[in-house]
Amino acid sequence: MAYAGFWAMASVAAISLVGADKQGRAMGVVVSGLSVATIIGVPGGTLLAQHAGWEAAFWAVAAMTALSTIALLIALPGGRDTTTAQPRLATELRSLMQPGRRTVIDDSPDAITAFLRPRPVRQLPGVGAKAAATLAEYGIHTVGDVADVPQLTLQRLLGARAGRTLHERAQGRDTTIVDPTPTPASISTEHRFARDELDPAQHRRALLALADDLGARLRGSGQVATGLTCTVRYADSSSTRRSRTLPEATLHTVLLARAAYAVYESLGLQRARVRSIALRADALRPADRATRQLTWKITPAPAPTWAKHPHTRTGAATRPWPHGRTGR
């Protein structure tokens, strides 16, 4: 609890004491101090307890805390800055724009400008930590700052393509093509072994059970799968994932199991300690809209009567001859 309280207060204080271009460095100093305290404090406290008793370690911590408190009271500025508005929790949450919360912006240029300009430059798509640090060195911290900088200047700082794209997005223009096609749905299922499994037969048995589960769920939802993905997780927490497009969209367990076996064989596992196997049916579509491969079904002609009854031919009565021959 003490660590959580100190972390919350130290991070807020460090950020509020520096400008926007040095906030990352201030947070780095706080994190470094915590790391150094953890590395030095444990052996130091143990050494002090061995030579002066366990009470001495706690008294030393109390003394250093008192000295740190006095230093903070002297060094940190007191009171609140009433010249600028203090950030509120509601404002911070609104700036994050979490999924599930709808934000409506009018399509007028003034509304778009008012929405974009005060936002941090990191909220622009394509701006990472390195690009934001480069812009911060030149006093560019918000989207409005980026919009006020000429495009040629941004291209000299970030490169021709990145500078042009950033300038367009800061102006509220994005030429990215929007694909209206919804992302294909998928259904997945997983089998966890009671222990790390080495036996390939157990792996295949698990794949069959997973394929049966997927097939039942697909048939229950009236959908077919056009792809299959198999994920194998090993004892060391690493994993391997392989995908395969099915020759034909299907919801049948036999075809799903056959594809799962093929994907498993392509992994080439040799005495691998498998912890779990997951199977996912990809790119689902309604079963009534699935395309099916047509095949010619040739029905053999009916056999003639004499082939079915060798003792009769063309309606004429015959009688057997010796040695299996027949005659009239």
Side-chain angles (χ1 to χ4, degrees):
M1 293 178 64
Y3 177 85
F6 171 78
W7 173 256
M9 295 299 297
S11 58
V12 173
I15 293 176
S16 61
L17 290 175
V18 298
D21 57 333
K22 296 182 179 179
Q23 291 181 356
R25 184 178 300 177
M27 286 297 299
V29 172
V30 174
V31 174
S32 301
L34 292 173
S35 302
V36 172
T38 304
I39 296 172
I40 299 179
V42 175
T46 304
L47 181 63
L48 185 60
Q50 289 178 352
H51 289 80
W54 62 271
E55 300 92 343
F58 289 94
W59 283 114
V61 172
M64 288 187 291
T65 302
L67 293 176
S68 301
T69 303
I70 296 173
L72 290 174
L73 291 174
I74 297 175
L76 292 180
R80 292 176 174 265
D81 185 8
T82 59
T83 58
T84 59
Q86 296 295 323
R88 295 178 177 270
L89 179 61
T91 304
E92 296 176 0
L93 293 176
R94 184 167 59 250
S95 65
L96 293 177
M97 296 184 62
Q98 298 177 356
R101 184 172 183 176
R102 178 176 298 178
T103 301
V104 180
I105 304 171
D106 190 59
D107 60 354
S108 63
D110 294 338
I112 295 175
T113 301
F115 174 77
L116 289 176
R117 287 191 68 86
R119 296 190 169 274
V121 69
R122 283 294 303 271
Q123 292 190 4
L124 281 176
V127 179
K130 185 177 180 180
T134 302
L135 294 174
E137 293 178 357
Y138 294 90
I140 303 173
H141 306 293
T142 64
V143 177
D145 297 337
V146 177
D148 294 337
V149 175
Q151 178 178 335
L152 295 179
T153 303
L154 292 175
Q155 290 178 336
R156 284 195 295 267
L157 295 177
L158 303 176
R161 182 176 180 180
R164 181 175 62 254
T165 303
L166 185 60
H167 179 76
E168 292 292 328
R169 290 178 177 174
Q171 299 291 337
R173 298 188 295 267
D174 191 351
T175 58
T176 305
I177 300 176
V178 178
D179 186 6
T181 305
T183 304
S186 62
I187 296 178
S188 61
T189 182
E190 184 178 10
H191 177 81
R192 294 181 179 272
F193 295 100
R195 55 181 177 81
D196 298 335
E197 188 60 60
L198 289 169
D199 188 4
Q202 296 295 332
H203 301 166
R204 295 176 66 88
R205 187 174 291 109
L207 286 172
L208 179 60
L210 294 175
D212 182 67
D213 183 32
L214 282 182
R217 294 170 63 182
L218 288 172
R219 291 188 292 272
S221 61
Q223 295 177 305
V224 292
T226 59
L228 199 67
T229 299
C230 180
T231 303
V232 180
R233 190 173 300 279
Y234 307 103
D236 59 352
S237 298
S238 62
S239 61
T240 304
R241 177 178 299 175
R242 291 288 177 83
S243 300
R244 173 165 297 192
T245 302
L246 300 176
E248 181 179 347
T250 184
L251 47 74
H252 297 294
T253 298
V254 175
L255 299 179
L256 294 173
R258 193 176 299 168
Y261 289 156
V263 175
Y264 174 80
E265 295 296 336
S266 67
L267 296 176
L269 302 181
Q270 297 180 358
R271 295 191 59 80
R273 299 172 57 193
V274 176
R275 181 162 297 176
S276 66
I277 299 178
L279 207 61
R280 187 182 69 202
D282 298 323
L284 305 185
R285 63 180 64 173
D288 55 354
R289 297 178 56 187
T291 58
R292 302 184 182 278
Q293 178 66 42
L294 300 179
T295 57
W296 292 102
K297 183 178 180 181
I298 302 177
T299 303
T305 305
W306 60 267
K308 297 181 180 179
H309 306 284
H311 300 298
T312 60
R313 189 173 183 178
T314 63
T318 59
R319 59 183 179 85
W321 282 70
H323 309 292
R325 296 191 307 170
T326 60
R328 294 184 184 275

